[in-house]
Amino acid sequence: MIQNIRGTKDLFFEEILKWHFVEEQFRKVSNLFGYNELRTPIFEKTEVFQRSIGETSDIVNKEMYTFIDKGGESITLRPEMTAALVRCVVQHNLYNLYQNLRLWYFGPFFRYERPQKGRLRQFHQYGAECIGSPYPESDAEIIFLANSIINSLNINNYTLEINSIGNLNSREKYKNELINYLKDNFDKLSEDSKNRLNINPLRILDSKDENDKKIIDNCPNILEYLDDESKEHFDLLINILDKSNVKYSLQPKLVRGLDYYSHTVFEYKSNTLGSQDAFGGGGRYNNLIEELGGKPTPAVGFALGVERLILIMDNSNNFVDLTKKIDFYIVYSKYEYFDKISLISNILRNNGYSVIFDIQRKSFKSQLREADKLNAKFVIIIGEDEYRNNQLTLKNLSNGLQKTIPIDSIEAINLYL
Ligand code: AMP
């Protein structure tokens, strides 16, 4: 038997109804904030990601699904959206259409990671990007949107961790201090962190190694290295969050692994998820658009992992009454009556009702059993009498009440329900 690829998932029946529910919330809430959906292809030229995410990140280094296509071009299945979205914005000059672009997306992403609960090789993200404003009001808008999405899914027990990694100047100053501090503790660092020290020292702050964590506990605090511009931006944002009653926790060790971030970075965590406790993250990226060939444009955005959102919702029993109901199941006693069945079902469907009828030539009794199993609200019965008199019997399965009506009045069936 051929099986699906490790780290991918097939979705069907009840599981897909959960996805429909969350996808509906994504659309609804994005609309409430005036965001427009954007879709791009699931693969891009490899340089889109290489140039933006950074050669030293785990994603580019070891997780990308990259291949040479038959034309000899290096192609990559998208590991995240921001870089692809920026490629699209620059290519189509979208920022010339609106001074402030508000965009959202939902779709599959691909990373060659070690699969485990909540970590897949094909996973899905919902995300949004606010392009064009350098001001903390836009960071706030993005956080309000992320919070609203999470709230719309009835997810309550989560924390929003937030930090600023400042502008390039502040970050360089901090990096030097951090390298000095870590060099003093070099022997005690894990091998991974030793390797990162000169390539990407900020990433060491993310280390899950217990010894590294002890060393990191006492490392310099990035917030103390912010220059005036960076500090003002962050203070204003924190002030807005305080005044808007947004709960957050300051996390000076939060850096996020990608090269393109500056200033604000944040992450959503839930303790119901186990070791993969982050279910979303984002931040500001003021230089990325220019780096991908566009005109200098500030931006901020976030992404939420949909599998992890659904895991949290499962763990908190947030999905209620997902059973799909069918409006009508048509039961008929002879398959020769099918002409009337197709007529009735066409009219009902044209009027917006869902209809199922037997196509297995099953007995009358087992058709009724199937109507029950499929959660039909009403059964339409065409027996011998009904067929001869051009009538149908309508039975309400929730109260058992039955009435017989002329087939000619089917257009007005709502009057009989
Ligand atoms: P990132 O930008 O890498 O932090 O990704 C944002 C969110 O996407 C994470 O918080 C996860 O919820 C989700 N995510 C990232 N990688 C995976 C993966 N391999 N499997 C499932 N979800 C993922």
Side-chain angles (χ1 to χ4, degrees):
M1 180 184 47
I2 303 176
Q3 301 214 339
N4 63 329
I5 292 173
R6 207 161 100 83
T8 69
K9 252 183 165 171
D10 299 317
L11 299 173
F12 43 84
F13 296 151
E14 196 181 331
E15 197 62 21
I16 205 80
L17 297 180
K18 297 178 185 172
W19 284 73
H20 288 174
F21 176 78
V22 298
E23 287 170 36
E24 201 182 312
Q25 302 309 315
F26 296 159
R27 286 217 179 91
K28 259 197 216 158
V29 178
S30 307
N31 272 335
L32 294 179
F33 280 74
Y35 278 61
N36 294 299
E37 187 181 0
L38 182 110
R39 297 186 195 182
T40 61
I42 61 158
F43 50 15
E44 295 277 344
K45 293 181 180 169
T46 301
E47 62 186 309
V48 169
F49 305 110
Q50 236 163 19
R51 277 173 50 185
S52 51
I53 298 173
E55 298 277 358
T56 62
S57 66
D58 280 352
I59 294 183
V60 172
N61 232 346
K62 47 188 187 199
E63 292 170 2
M64 292 208 304
Y65 277 92
T66 297
F67 60 97
I68 306 293
D69 73 4
K70 290 189 168 51
E73 182 141 50
S74 181
I75 305 282
T76 294
L77 300 187
R78 60 185 190 185
E80 60 112 51
M81 186 65 174
T82 306
L85 181 140
V86 166
R87 191 274 305 144
C88 168
V89 166
V90 172
Q91 179 179 339
H92 301 285
N93 244 317
L94 297 186
Y95 40 35
N96 280 353
L97 300 177
Y98 299 92
Q99 203 176 11
N100 216 137
L101 270 178
R102 294 182 163 94
L103 300 168
W104 70 273
Y105 60 86
F106 163 75
F109 296 87
F110 307 85
R111 294 183 195 173
Y112 193 78
E113 295 195 79
R114 197 169 44 80
Q116 63 183 87
K117 200 171 167 77
R119 203 204 280 150
L120 293 138
R121 290 182 173 169
Q122 176 177 334
F123 60 98
H124 295 74
Q125 288 183 338
Y126 163 89
E129 314 284 350
C130 181
I131 296 175
S133 166
Y135 301 116
E137 289 86 329
S138 62
D139 305 47
E141 174 172 298
I142 273 292
I143 289 174
F144 294 159
L145 171 54
N147 281 358
S148 292
I149 294 276
I150 297 167
N151 292 342
S152 76
L153 305 177
N154 290 322
I155 294 175
N156 305 310
N157 48 353
Y158 66 89
T159 48
L160 162 62
E161 295 187 347
I162 190 165
N163 190 24
S164 171
I165 55 170
N167 58 14
L168 203 58
N169 273 343
S170 314
R171 210 152 51 249
E172 282 308 310
K173 223 166 54 186
Y174 177 70
K175 261 188 200 168
N176 289 334
E177 281 305 310
L178 183 66
I179 291 174
N180 283 340
Y181 168 81
L182 292 172
K183 269 188 179 154
D184 291 342
N185 296 280
F186 189 78
D187 292 339
K188 289 181 250 160
L189 286 174
S190 66
E191 280 312 303
D192 264 355
S193 294
K194 279 179 183 161
N195 291 333
R196 282 185 179 137
L197 188 64
N198 290 313
I199 308 170
N200 194 345
L202 288 187
R203 281 292 317 282
I204 298 178
L205 300 180
D206 263 346
S207 175
K208 300 276 180 288
D209 180 276
E210 287 306 320
N211 277 331
D212 286 355
K213 278 189 190 166
K214 281 185 207 143
I215 299 167
I216 295 160
D217 268 348
N218 296 315
C219 75
N221 181 340
I222 196 165
L223 292 174
E224 286 165 16
Y225 292 80
L226 298 184
D227 64 9
D228 288 349
E229 181 216 345
S230 305
K231 190 168 160 24
E232 190 191 353
H233 184 93
F234 195 53
D235 287 348
L236 285 170
L237 173 60
I238 291 298
N239 190 31
I240 297 175
L241 297 182
D242 285 338
K243 293 226 164 96
S244 324
N245 291 325
V246 171
K247 293 202 181 67
Y248 61 87
S249 93
L250 280 186
Q251 178 46 275
K253 310 249 158 46
L254 177 68
V255 288
R256 302 206 20 94
L258 317 184
D259 272 6
Y260 54 63
Y261 285 116
S262 55
H263 294 282
T264 318
V265 288
F266 55 94
E267 216 152 59
Y268 286 96
K269 292 197 169 157
S270 164
N271 55 17
T272 65
L273 281 174
S275 65
Q276 301 297 313
D277 61 348
F279 64 92
R284 178 164 279 283
Y285 49 97
N286 287 350
N287 305 313
L288 178 61
I289 297 178
E290 190 177 6
E291 268 159 34
L292 284 180
K295 62 176 188 203
T297 310
V300 54
F302 71 92
L304 300 172
V306 181
E307 282 81 0
R308 293 190 195 172
L309 288 172
I310 290 178
L311 267 178
I312 300 174
M313 295 171 75
D314 273 337
N315 290 340
S316 333
N317 292 320
N318 280 8
F319 292 108
V320 278
D321 199 21
L322 279 181
T323 40
K324 204 169 171 175
K325 284 213 158 174
I326 188 92
D327 295 318
F328 295 98
Y329 188 99
I330 309 179
V331 172
Y332 51 119
S333 57
K334 286 198 177 131
Y335 68 82
E336 290 88 347
Y337 296 170
F338 194 72
D339 54 339
K340 295 232 163 130
I341 309 310
S342 48
L343 180 92
I344 295 170
S345 57
N346 279 344
I347 295 174
L348 287 174
R349 287 172 182 150
N350 284 341
N351 282 286
Y353 295 107
S354 51
V355 184
I356 288 186
F357 44 75
D358 172 51
I359 45 174
Q360 295 277 11
R361 300 189 179 177
K362 278 198 274 239
S363 73
F364 197 79
K365 232 177 160 176
S366 54
Q367 290 181 47
L368 279 172
R369 265 201 304 272
E370 183 162 77
D372 244 355
K373 193 170 147 199
L374 293 176
N375 270 309
K377 293 181 201 158
F378 295 90
V379 170
I380 287 176
I381 300 166
I382 310 278
E384 216 174 315
D385 286 351
E386 284 92 349
Y387 189 81
R388 207 173 336 107
N389 300 327
N390 204 29
Q391 289 179 321
L392 59 85
T393 297
L394 184 67
K395 183 174 177 185
N396 183 333
L397 282 193
S398 59
N399 59 16
L401 290 181
Q402 229 171 272
K403 41 190 116 151
T404 298
I405 61 173
I407 288 184
D408 293 341
S409 58
I410 187 99
E411 287 275 5
I413 189 117
N414 58 319
L415 301 177
Y416 300 95
L417 300 179

